[in-house]
Amino acid sequence: MNISIDVREQELQTTITLAGEIDAYTAPKLRETAFPYTEKQYANVVIDLSGVSYMDSTGLGVFVGLFKSLNANEGTLKLVGLSDRLKRLFDITGLADIMNINSVAEGGV
């Protein structure tokens, strides 16, 4: 039960690439790493989930918190690279209706 978190800051956006599992054990590490990037005014954060093999409700809670923090600071959150399983999780919970989610990872800004 590990998670790998790679952060790449560019001029117009911060890209966070995740690999592994997001659960009650790893979610605090994700929260601690990602939240500082959501607290900047007008931040654009892209999270690549193409390497994530599993996520539970604790992980969903982290993404809701990131989304709320970015909205409060007039920023944007985009989730990319979701597997069919993760996309379904966001669809079932209704989060796909309020968050910017693309199943395929995209290059560039």
XYZ file of all heavy atoms in Angstrom:
829
model
N 0.830 -1.189 0.000
C 0.000 0.000 0.000
C 0.869 1.245 0.000
O 1.065 1.872 1.016
C -0.897 0.013 1.221
C -2.003 -0.949 1.189
S -3.189 -0.462 2.422
C -3.998 -1.991 2.687
N 1.370 1.577 -1.152
C 2.185 2.771 -1.281
C 1.635 3.674 -2.355
O 0.858 3.258 -3.202
C 3.636 2.399 -1.618
C 4.363 1.861 -0.409
O 4.113 2.291 0.708
N 5.246 0.910 -0.634
N 2.082 4.916 -2.313
C 1.721 5.874 -3.337
C 2.977 6.636 -3.729
O 3.818 6.953 -2.892
C 0.613 6.840 -2.857
C 0.126 7.708 -4.013
C 1.086 7.686 -1.694
C -1.147 8.464 -3.699
N 3.092 6.881 -5.009
C 4.186 7.683 -5.534
C 3.578 9.003 -6.003
O 2.569 9.006 -6.713
C 4.847 6.953 -6.706
O 5.699 7.813 -7.405
N 4.196 10.113 -5.583
C 3.680 11.435 -5.934
C 4.808 12.236 -6.569
O 5.845 12.454 -5.954
C 3.149 12.183 -4.687
C 2.088 11.349 -3.983
C 2.612 13.556 -5.082
C 1.656 11.900 -2.630
N 4.590 12.652 -7.810
C 5.575 13.451 -8.532
C 4.932 14.791 -8.874
O 3.873 14.827 -9.507
C 6.014 12.740 -9.813
C 6.998 13.561 -10.610
O 8.056 13.922 -10.055
O 6.701 13.869 -11.782
N 5.546 15.891 -8.437
C 5.007 17.228 -8.679
C 5.899 17.960 -9.655
O 7.112 18.022 -9.476
C 4.896 18.031 -7.359
C 4.363 19.428 -7.632
C 4.019 17.299 -6.351
N 5.275 18.506 -10.691
C 6.005 19.300 -11.674
C 5.317 20.656 -11.812
O 4.172 20.741 -12.250
C 6.038 18.578 -13.026
C 6.932 19.254 -14.046
C 6.947 18.494 -15.343
N 5.573 18.447 -15.856
C 5.076 17.452 -16.560
N 5.785 16.414 -16.855
N 3.831 17.497 -16.991
N 6.029 21.701 -11.394
C 5.487 23.051 -11.490
C 5.930 23.685 -12.792
O 7.112 23.681 -13.128
C 5.960 23.911 -10.323
C 5.314 23.555 -9.003
C 5.677 24.533 -7.908
O 5.003 25.571 -7.805
O 6.642 24.254 -7.189
N 4.963 24.209 -13.522
C 5.232 24.946 -14.740
C 4.661 26.343 -14.561
O 3.989 26.624 -13.575
C 4.599 24.242 -15.940
C 5.181 22.855 -16.175
C 4.382 22.066 -17.180
O 3.174 21.930 -17.046
N 5.063 21.555 -18.203
N 4.897 27.191 -15.528
C 4.460 28.579 -15.404
C 2.954 28.703 -15.205
O 2.495 29.458 -14.350
C 4.888 29.360 -16.643
C 4.621 30.849 -16.522
C 5.165 31.616 -17.709
O 6.153 31.175 -18.309
O 4.578 32.647 -18.029
N 2.177 27.954 -15.978
C 0.730 28.123 -15.937
C -0.027 27.055 -15.163
O -1.221 27.176 -14.946
C 0.173 28.181 -17.367
C 0.699 29.332 -18.223
C 0.151 29.227 -19.637
C 0.333 30.667 -17.601
N 0.661 25.986 -14.773
C -0.038 24.935 -14.031
C 0.936 24.077 -13.244
O 2.133 24.055 -13.525
C -0.862 24.048 -14.964
C -0.049 23.034 -15.747
C -0.900 22.199 -16.680
O -1.938 22.646 -17.141
N -0.463 20.999 -16.980
N 0.379 23.378 -12.270
C 1.116 22.381 -11.511
C 0.523 21.027 -11.859
O -0.689 20.844 -11.778
C 0.984 22.637 -9.995
O 1.534 23.920 -9.698
C 1.716 21.571 -9.200
N 1.377 20.100 -12.260
C 0.926 18.751 -12.584
C 1.414 17.797 -11.500
O 2.600 17.757 -11.194
C 1.466 18.300 -13.958
O 1.026 19.230 -14.950
C 0.966 16.909 -14.307
N 0.473 17.057 -10.934
C 0.780 16.075 -9.902
C 0.458 14.699 -10.481
O -0.686 14.428 -10.844
C -0.034 16.339 -8.621
C 0.259 17.742 -8.083
C 0.266 15.270 -7.573
C -0.625 18.173 -6.934
N 1.483 13.871 -10.597
C 1.313 12.533 -11.152
C 1.347 11.520 -10.010
O 2.282 11.511 -9.220
C 2.429 12.233 -12.179
O 2.401 13.248 -13.188
C 2.222 10.874 -12.825
N 0.314 10.705 -9.957
C 0.175 9.729 -8.880
C 0.291 8.313 -9.409
O -0.130 8.030 -10.538
C -1.187 9.887 -8.201
C -1.531 11.279 -7.662
C -2.947 11.295 -7.121
C -0.541 11.693 -6.597
N 0.849 7.433 -8.592
C 0.908 6.009 -8.926
C 0.755 5.206 -7.642
O 1.269 5.595 -6.595
C 2.229 5.671 -9.613
N 0.027 4.107 -7.718
C -0.182 3.255 -6.555
C -1.624 3.283 -6.096
O -2.536 3.413 -6.903
N -1.814 3.185 -4.798
C -3.149 3.122 -4.213
C -3.420 4.352 -3.355
O -2.545 4.817 -2.630
C -3.286 1.872 -3.356
C -3.105 0.588 -4.126
C -3.253 -0.643 -3.260
O -3.418 -0.518 -2.031
O -3.208 -1.749 -3.829
N -4.656 4.864 -3.453
C -5.073 5.990 -2.609
C -6.130 5.449 -1.659
O -7.246 5.125 -2.061
C -5.633 7.154 -3.453
C -4.620 7.583 -4.512
C -5.999 8.318 -2.538
C -5.157 8.595 -5.499
N -5.751 5.334 -0.400
C -6.642 4.782 0.618
C -6.385 5.486 1.951
O -5.675 6.493 1.999
C -6.458 3.268 0.732
C -5.022 2.855 1.025
O -4.234 3.686 1.532
O -4.677 1.696 0.751
N -6.960 4.955 3.008
C -6.822 5.586 4.325
C -5.364 5.694 4.760
O -4.996 6.609 5.500
C -7.615 4.809 5.365
N -4.532 4.813 4.291
C -3.116 4.812 4.657
C -2.315 5.862 3.871
O -1.444 6.525 4.420
C -2.541 3.411 4.427
C -1.069 3.290 4.743
C -0.610 3.272 6.053
C -0.132 3.198 3.723
C 0.741 3.177 6.352
C 1.216 3.098 4.002
C 1.651 3.082 5.313
O 2.985 2.989 5.589
N -2.609 6.011 2.589
C -1.815 6.902 1.731
C -2.429 8.286 1.526
O -1.732 9.217 1.129
C -1.585 6.263 0.347
O -2.852 6.033 -0.280
C -0.807 4.961 0.470
N -3.714 8.440 1.789
C -4.390 9.718 1.560
C -3.754 10.887 2.327
O -3.633 11.980 1.771
C -5.875 9.607 1.894
N -3.340 10.700 3.580
C -2.712 11.833 4.281
C -1.454 12.355 3.572
O -1.220 13.568 3.528
C -2.369 11.257 5.655
C -3.369 10.165 5.859
C -3.549 9.568 4.485
N -0.670 11.470 2.994
C 0.527 11.895 2.258
C 0.127 12.705 1.024
O 0.738 13.734 0.716
C 1.349 10.673 1.847
C 2.615 11.016 1.098
C 3.420 9.771 0.759
C 4.666 10.132 -0.033
N 5.419 8.942 -0.444
N -0.902 12.254 0.323
C -1.393 12.982 -0.849
C -1.905 14.361 -0.446
O -1.574 15.372 -1.064
C -2.494 12.184 -1.549
C -3.222 12.902 -2.683
C -2.260 13.364 -3.760
C -4.302 11.990 -3.264
N -2.698 14.400 0.612
C -3.253 15.666 1.092
C -2.134 16.640 1.464
O -2.141 17.808 1.068
C -4.161 15.414 2.296
C -4.862 16.650 2.816
C -5.753 16.355 4.012
N -6.837 15.437 3.665
C -6.962 14.209 4.147
N -6.074 13.716 4.979
N -7.968 13.448 3.788
N -1.161 16.151 2.214
C -0.041 16.981 2.673
C 0.776 17.533 1.495
O 1.224 18.678 1.529
C 0.851 16.134 3.579
C 2.056 16.850 4.125
C 2.893 15.902 4.975
O 2.345 15.328 5.930
O 4.087 15.744 4.674
N 0.951 16.738 0.473
C 1.736 17.156 -0.688
C 0.961 18.107 -1.596
O 1.502 19.106 -2.073
C 2.189 15.924 -1.508
O 2.947 15.066 -0.659
C 3.038 16.339 -2.699
N -0.304 17.810 -1.844
C -1.071 18.552 -2.851
C -1.696 19.856 -2.351
O -1.789 20.818 -3.108
C -2.164 17.650 -3.414
N -2.113 19.909 -1.099
C -2.858 21.081 -0.634
C -2.114 22.408 -0.778
O -2.733 23.408 -1.140
C -3.363 20.891 0.798
C -4.808 20.502 0.830
C -5.169 19.164 0.811
C -5.803 21.455 0.845
C -6.492 18.784 0.815
C -7.135 21.096 0.842
C -7.482 19.754 0.828
N -0.812 22.479 -0.523
C -0.140 23.775 -0.690
C -0.289 24.368 -2.098
O -0.329 25.591 -2.255
C 1.326 23.462 -0.390
C 1.261 22.287 0.539
C 0.086 21.479 0.051
N -0.436 23.528 -3.094
C -0.587 24.014 -4.471
C -1.995 24.520 -4.755
O -2.217 25.221 -5.723
C -0.217 22.910 -5.479
C 1.214 22.476 -5.319
C 1.535 21.303 -4.642
C 2.257 23.255 -5.813
C 2.844 20.911 -4.461
C 3.577 22.871 -5.630
C 3.856 21.696 -4.960
O 5.163 21.315 -4.781
N -2.949 24.182 -3.897
C -4.333 24.617 -4.097
C -4.630 25.928 -3.389
O -5.680 26.517 -3.598
C -5.328 23.553 -3.583
O -5.253 23.484 -2.150
C -5.047 22.200 -4.195
N -3.735 26.360 -2.547
C -3.983 27.545 -1.742
C -3.496 28.832 -2.405
O -3.674 29.909 -1.863
C -3.346 27.366 -0.364
C -3.996 26.213 0.399
C -3.265 25.839 1.666
O -2.067 26.153 1.790
O -3.897 25.224 2.536
N -2.889 28.702 -3.577
C -2.429 29.877 -4.314
C -3.579 30.446 -5.144
O -4.374 29.697 -5.693
C -1.272 29.503 -5.244
C -0.066 28.943 -4.520
C 0.974 28.469 -5.506
C 2.138 27.814 -4.784
N 3.096 27.218 -5.725
N -3.658 31.754 -5.217
C -4.693 32.409 -6.013
C -4.559 32.029 -7.482
O -3.466 32.041 -8.031
C -4.570 33.934 -5.847
C -5.763 34.705 -6.322
C -6.959 34.608 -5.383
O -6.860 34.156 -4.258
N -8.103 35.028 -5.864
N -5.662 31.670 -8.116
C -5.751 31.334 -9.541
C -4.893 30.124 -9.938
O -4.466 30.006 -11.081
C -5.382 32.526 -10.424
C -6.120 33.787 -10.090
C -5.456 34.892 -9.600
C -7.507 33.857 -10.233
C -6.144 36.050 -9.272
C -8.208 35.016 -9.913
C -7.511 36.108 -9.427
O -8.194 37.247 -9.104
N -4.621 29.227 -9.018
C -3.805 28.045 -9.328
C -4.537 27.113 -10.292
O -5.755 26.957 -10.216
C -3.460 27.296 -8.039
N -3.788 26.522 -11.190
C -4.306 25.489 -12.092
C -3.572 24.201 -11.762
O -2.364 24.100 -11.969
C -4.058 25.873 -13.554
C -4.850 27.095 -13.955
O -6.052 27.135 -13.775
N -4.174 28.089 -14.480
N -4.299 23.226 -11.250
C -3.698 21.968 -10.832
C -4.281 20.839 -11.687
O -5.494 20.699 -11.807
C -3.957 21.691 -9.332
C -3.400 20.335 -8.936
C -3.344 22.794 -8.477
N -3.388 20.063 -12.285
C -3.771 18.880 -13.051
C -3.242 17.667 -12.295
O -2.062 17.631 -11.937
C -3.176 18.913 -14.476
C -3.503 17.620 -15.223
C -3.690 20.123 -15.244
N -4.106 16.705 -12.039
C -3.683 15.488 -11.352
C -3.851 14.316 -12.305
O -4.958 14.035 -12.784
C -4.466 15.268 -10.050
C -4.243 16.463 -9.115
C -4.033 13.959 -9.383
C -4.925 16.371 -7.782
N -2.732 13.659 -12.581
C -2.714 12.510 -13.481
C -2.850 11.233 -12.655
O -1.973 10.894 -11.861
C -1.409 12.509 -14.279
C -1.337 11.395 -15.305
O -2.197 10.482 -15.279
O -0.411 11.428 -16.131
N -3.959 10.544 -12.859
C -4.267 9.331 -12.098
C -4.018 8.061 -12.903
O -4.463 6.983 -12.504
C -5.734 9.376 -11.645
C -6.105 10.525 -10.709
C -7.603 10.661 -10.585
C -5.485 10.316 -9.350
N -3.310 8.168 -14.014
C -3.132 6.993 -14.881
C -2.375 5.858 -14.195
O -2.514 4.705 -14.579
C -2.458 7.381 -16.196
O -1.214 8.002 -15.966
N -1.593 6.160 -13.166
C -0.855 5.120 -12.452
C -1.537 4.635 -11.187
O -0.975 3.832 -10.437
N -2.758 5.102 -10.931
C -3.471 4.722 -9.707
C -4.259 3.438 -9.955
O -5.102 3.365 -10.849
C -4.412 5.860 -9.243
C -5.274 5.409 -8.061
C -3.591 7.082 -8.871
N -3.977 2.431 -9.155
C -4.622 1.133 -9.323
C -5.849 0.949 -8.432
O -6.689 0.082 -8.698
C -3.617 0.015 -9.031
O -3.099 0.147 -7.715
N -5.970 1.763 -7.370
C -7.073 1.600 -6.422
C -7.297 2.907 -5.686
O -6.353 3.627 -5.364
C -6.732 0.501 -5.406
C -7.727 0.381 -4.281
C -8.912 -0.317 -4.452
C -7.492 0.992 -3.051
C -9.843 -0.428 -3.418
C -8.407 0.900 -2.015
C -9.579 0.189 -2.206
O -10.493 0.093 -1.192
N -8.579 3.211 -5.427
C -8.894 4.373 -4.597
C -10.177 4.082 -3.836
O -11.140 3.557 -4.398
C -9.071 5.633 -5.455
C -9.390 6.856 -4.618
S -9.242 8.433 -5.494
C -10.243 8.165 -6.914
N -10.188 4.446 -2.547
C -11.393 4.273 -1.749
C -11.999 5.640 -1.417
O -11.575 6.667 -1.948
C -11.108 3.437 -0.493
C -10.197 4.129 0.514
O -9.907 5.337 0.362
O -9.772 3.454 1.474
N -12.975 5.647 -0.534
C -13.683 6.888 -0.212
C -12.774 7.924 0.448
O -13.024 9.125 0.331
C -14.889 6.601 0.678
O -14.471 6.010 1.895
N -11.730 7.482 1.107
C -10.777 8.422 1.708
C -10.102 9.240 0.612
O -9.919 10.449 0.739
C -9.699 7.684 2.528
O -10.330 6.737 3.384
C -8.894 8.646 3.361
N -9.758 8.586 -0.475
C -9.163 9.277 -1.619
C -10.131 10.260 -2.238
O -9.757 11.390 -2.584
N -11.389 9.861 -2.373
C -12.402 10.785 -2.904
C -12.494 12.029 -2.030
O -12.619 13.147 -2.540
C -13.767 10.100 -2.970
C -13.961 9.058 -4.060
C -15.314 8.381 -3.896
C -13.829 9.676 -5.433
N -12.412 11.827 -0.726
C -12.461 12.956 0.203
C -11.320 13.931 -0.006
O -11.502 15.147 0.086
N -10.140 13.408 -0.317
C -8.993 14.283 -0.595
C -9.277 15.129 -1.832
O -9.038 16.340 -1.841
C -7.696 13.466 -0.785
C -6.558 14.360 -1.282
C -7.298 12.793 0.516
N -9.817 14.516 -2.880
C -10.091 15.264 -4.112
C -11.190 16.301 -3.913
O -11.127 17.389 -4.475
C -10.408 14.312 -5.260
C -9.190 13.577 -5.724
C -9.042 12.226 -5.463
C -8.162 14.240 -6.369
C -7.908 11.544 -5.855
C -7.011 13.567 -6.759
C -6.890 12.225 -6.508
N -12.183 15.994 -3.088
C -13.213 16.988 -2.766
C -12.573 18.176 -2.043
O -12.857 19.337 -2.352
C -14.347 16.367 -1.920
C -15.267 17.450 -1.364
C -15.133 15.360 -2.745
N -11.687 17.902 -1.106
C -11.000 18.974 -0.383
C -10.136 19.820 -1.299
O -10.128 21.055 -1.188
N -9.411 19.179 -2.219
C -8.593 19.921 -3.179
C -9.468 20.800 -4.061
O -9.152 21.969 -4.319
C -7.780 18.953 -4.055
C -6.722 18.109 -3.364
C -6.153 17.071 -4.332
C -5.614 18.979 -2.805
N -10.577 20.234 -4.529
C -11.524 20.955 -5.379
C -12.075 22.190 -4.658
O -12.106 23.295 -5.211
C -12.655 20.001 -5.781
C -13.724 20.630 -6.614
C -13.515 20.905 -7.954
C -14.954 20.927 -6.057
C -14.515 21.480 -8.735
C -15.961 21.494 -6.818
C -15.745 21.777 -8.161
N -12.477 22.016 -3.401
C -13.024 23.135 -2.625
C -11.978 24.226 -2.391
O -12.268 25.415 -2.492
C -13.560 22.640 -1.276
C -14.843 21.875 -1.359
C -15.219 21.361 0.009
C -16.701 21.392 0.217
N -17.087 20.967 1.559
N -10.759 23.823 -2.068
C -9.690 24.781 -1.827
C -9.384 25.587 -3.091
O -9.226 26.808 -3.044
C -8.432 24.057 -1.344
O -7.377 24.967 -1.137
N -9.315 24.899 -4.220
C -9.046 25.607 -5.475
C -10.191 26.549 -5.840
O -9.958 27.676 -6.277
C -8.782 24.608 -6.604
C -7.376 24.023 -6.581
C -7.303 22.716 -7.343
C -6.383 25.032 -7.140
N -11.432 26.104 -5.657
C -12.570 26.978 -5.952
C -12.559 28.218 -5.080
O -12.857 29.319 -5.542
C -13.893 26.227 -5.773
C -14.281 25.447 -6.993
O -13.716 25.608 -8.077
N -15.244 24.561 -6.840
N -12.213 28.059 -3.814
C -12.165 29.198 -2.894
C -11.096 30.210 -3.310
O -11.221 31.399 -3.006
C -11.904 28.712 -1.470
N -10.066 29.732 -4.002
C -8.973 30.600 -4.440
C -9.032 30.902 -5.936
O -8.039 31.310 -6.535
C -7.620 29.959 -4.081
C -7.411 29.924 -2.587
O -7.391 30.959 -1.930
N -7.287 28.727 -2.034
N -10.222 30.678 -6.524
C -10.466 30.946 -7.945
C -9.516 30.178 -8.861
O -9.116 30.660 -9.918
C -10.411 32.444 -8.229
C -11.439 33.221 -7.428
C -11.405 34.705 -7.704
O -11.589 35.065 -8.875
O -11.179 35.474 -6.757
N -9.173 28.963 -8.448
C -8.305 28.112 -9.249
C -9.098 27.003 -9.917
O -10.323 26.947 -9.820
N -8.388 26.116 -10.605
C -9.041 25.010 -11.296
C -8.347 23.688 -10.965
O -7.149 23.653 -10.729
C -9.016 25.192 -12.822
O -7.663 25.236 -13.275
C -9.737 26.474 -13.236
N -9.135 22.630 -10.971
C -8.635 21.280 -10.773
C -9.076 20.444 -11.960
O -10.252 20.460 -12.342
C -9.195 20.659 -9.490
C -8.859 19.185 -9.245
C -7.348 19.005 -9.046
C -9.621 18.654 -8.048
N -8.137 19.726 -12.543
C -8.442 18.824 -13.649
C -7.845 17.466 -13.329
O -6.665 17.367 -13.007
C -7.859 19.372 -14.949
C -8.208 18.578 -16.167
C -7.666 19.287 -17.403
C -8.182 18.688 -18.659
N -7.675 19.409 -19.838
N -8.679 16.430 -13.399
C -8.225 15.067 -13.175
C -8.135 14.377 -14.524
O -9.096 14.394 -15.305
C -9.197 14.316 -12.264
C -9.476 14.956 -10.903
C -10.490 14.121 -10.123
C -8.202 15.125 -10.112
N -6.991 13.776 -14.812
C -6.784 13.102 -16.098
C -6.257 11.687 -15.876
O -5.764 11.358 -14.798
C -5.807 13.889 -17.013
C -6.353 15.278 -17.325
C -4.423 13.991 -16.401
N -6.372 10.867 -16.911
C -5.811 9.523 -16.871
C -6.554 8.542 -15.993
O -5.967 7.569 -15.524
N -7.842 8.761 -15.783
C -8.617 7.853 -14.935
C -8.891 6.541 -15.659
O -9.279 6.536 -16.826
C -9.958 8.478 -14.552
C -9.948 9.522 -13.451
C -9.430 10.837 -13.970
C -11.336 9.693 -12.886
N -8.698 5.447 -14.959
C -9.090 4.140 -15.491
C -10.618 4.091 -15.514
O -11.298 4.921 -14.894
C -8.547 3.032 -14.601
O -9.173 3.083 -13.325
N -11.173 3.106 -16.198
C -12.631 2.946 -16.217
C -13.176 2.778 -14.804
O -14.235 3.306 -14.470
C -13.026 1.737 -17.070
C -12.800 1.974 -18.555
O -12.680 3.147 -18.972
O -12.731 0.979 -19.299
N -12.426 2.071 -13.986
C -12.856 1.828 -12.604
C -12.915 3.132 -11.798
O -13.876 3.384 -11.065
C -11.892 0.840 -11.964
C -12.291 0.390 -10.611
C -11.276 -0.613 -10.093
N -11.891 -1.448 -9.105
C -11.337 -2.500 -8.591
N -10.145 -2.877 -8.992
N -11.949 -3.199 -7.682
N -11.879 3.968 -11.931
C -11.871 5.239 -11.203
C -12.936 6.184 -11.756
O -13.605 6.884 -10.995
C -10.492 5.895 -11.281
C -9.374 5.228 -10.478
C -8.083 6.022 -10.625
C -9.741 5.081 -9.022
N -13.099 6.209 -13.074
C -14.114 7.071 -13.684
C -15.487 6.692 -13.154
O -16.300 7.558 -12.820
C -14.051 6.929 -15.214
C -15.111 7.689 -15.962
C -14.800 9.163 -16.028
C -15.680 9.904 -17.005
N -17.002 10.227 -16.527
N -15.734 5.403 -13.054
C -17.020 4.924 -12.532
C -17.233 5.364 -11.087
O -18.328 5.767 -10.699
C -17.088 3.399 -12.640
C -18.380 2.802 -12.160
C -18.397 1.296 -12.448
N -19.235 0.585 -11.500
C -20.527 0.387 -11.646
N -21.146 0.871 -12.693
N -21.211 -0.287 -10.739
N -16.179 5.338 -10.283
C -16.259 5.784 -8.895
C -16.682 7.254 -8.820
O -17.554 7.627 -8.031
C -14.898 5.569 -8.216
C -14.787 5.815 -6.730
C -15.727 4.902 -5.946
C -13.349 5.592 -6.281
N -16.092 8.094 -9.671
C -16.465 9.511 -9.698
C -17.876 9.696 -10.256
O -18.613 10.577 -9.804
C -15.440 10.315 -10.507
C -14.201 10.652 -9.737
C -13.113 9.788 -9.719
C -14.102 11.832 -9.003
C -11.962 10.085 -9.005
C -12.961 12.142 -8.287
C -11.888 11.259 -8.283
N -18.275 8.874 -11.226
C -19.630 8.956 -11.782
C -20.675 8.584 -10.742
O -21.667 9.288 -10.563
C -19.770 8.024 -12.995
C -19.069 8.540 -14.236
O -18.796 9.752 -14.328
O -18.786 7.700 -15.126
N -20.457 7.465 -10.055
C -21.418 6.966 -9.068
C -21.639 7.970 -7.942
O -22.759 8.156 -7.467
C -20.956 5.608 -8.488
C -21.093 4.522 -9.540
C -21.723 5.241 -7.233
C -20.465 3.198 -9.146
N -20.577 8.632 -7.520
C -20.677 9.579 -6.408
C -21.181 10.951 -6.842
O -21.436 11.809 -6.000
C -19.310 9.753 -5.722
O -18.362 10.219 -6.694
C -18.839 8.454 -5.107
N -21.302 11.171 -8.143
C -21.760 12.457 -8.643
C -20.646 13.491 -8.779
O -20.881 14.603 -9.233
N -19.445 13.121 -8.398
C -18.327 14.069 -8.469
C -17.931 14.385 -9.908
O -17.426 15.471 -10.195
C -17.124 13.543 -7.689
C -17.328 13.457 -6.179
C -16.138 12.768 -5.518
C -17.551 14.833 -5.589
N -18.201 13.461 -10.824
C -17.885 13.699 -12.239
C -18.719 14.854 -12.795
O -18.326 15.490 -13.776
C -18.110 12.438 -13.061
N -19.855 15.144 -12.160
C -20.715 16.241 -12.619
C -20.197 17.611 -12.208
O -20.562 18.619 -12.807
C -22.137 16.060 -12.072
C -22.807 14.810 -12.611
O -22.443 14.358 -13.721
O -23.697 14.281 -11.918
N -19.359 17.660 -11.173
C -18.879 18.963 -10.703
C -17.385 19.177 -10.930
O -16.909 20.304 -10.887
C -19.214 19.188 -9.208
C -18.541 18.130 -8.340
C -20.714 19.219 -8.992
C -18.596 18.437 -6.860
N -16.646 18.097 -11.172
C -15.198 18.205 -11.383
C -14.867 18.014 -12.851
O -15.579 17.327 -13.582
C -14.453 17.138 -10.559
C -14.519 17.351 -9.085
S -13.529 16.082 -8.247
C -13.759 16.571 -6.556
N -13.759 18.621 -13.269
C -13.273 18.482 -14.635
C -12.474 17.181 -14.710
O -11.368 17.097 -14.198
C -12.406 19.689 -14.996
C -11.964 19.670 -16.441
O -12.166 18.703 -17.161
N -11.366 20.765 -16.872
N -13.074 16.173 -15.355
C -12.455 14.850 -15.407
C -12.325 14.408 -16.855
O -13.301 14.417 -17.603
C -13.304 13.817 -14.621
C -13.332 14.192 -13.145
C -12.773 12.410 -14.825
C -14.221 13.324 -12.305
N -11.120 14.006 -17.228
C -10.858 13.420 -18.550
C -10.237 12.061 -18.334
O -9.266 11.936 -17.586
C -9.891 14.294 -19.361
C -10.530 15.587 -19.804
O -11.746 15.710 -19.823
N -9.716 16.551 -20.158
N -10.749 11.057 -18.996
C -10.222 9.707 -18.829
C -8.841 9.544 -19.438
O -8.068 8.712 -19.009
C -11.179 8.682 -19.443
O -12.404 8.699 -18.750
N -8.529 10.342 -20.455
C -7.253 10.224 -21.141
C -6.347 11.363 -20.717
O -6.749 12.518 -20.698
C -7.451 10.278 -22.674
C -6.131 10.181 -23.400
C -8.388 9.164 -23.116
N -5.109 11.043 -20.349
C -4.143 12.073 -19.976
C -3.800 12.904 -21.202
O -3.691 12.391 -22.309
C -2.879 11.436 -19.400
N -3.662 14.209 -21.005
C -3.361 15.113 -22.096
C -2.023 15.782 -21.869
O -1.650 16.084 -20.743
C -4.450 16.203 -22.198
C -5.828 15.646 -22.456
C -6.886 16.718 -22.396
O -6.581 17.859 -22.033
O -8.044 16.405 -22.704
N -1.334 16.068 -22.936
C -0.071 16.791 -22.832
C -0.300 18.284 -22.893
O -1.336 18.745 -23.349
N 0.651 19.055 -22.432
C 0.564 20.515 -22.502
C -0.364 21.094 -21.486
O -0.799 20.450 -20.550
N -0.704 22.348 -21.692
C -1.536 23.093 -20.751
C -2.997 22.938 -21.092
O -3.418 22.975 -22.175
C -1.156 24.589 -20.761
C -2.048 25.382 -19.864
C 0.278 24.730 -20.347
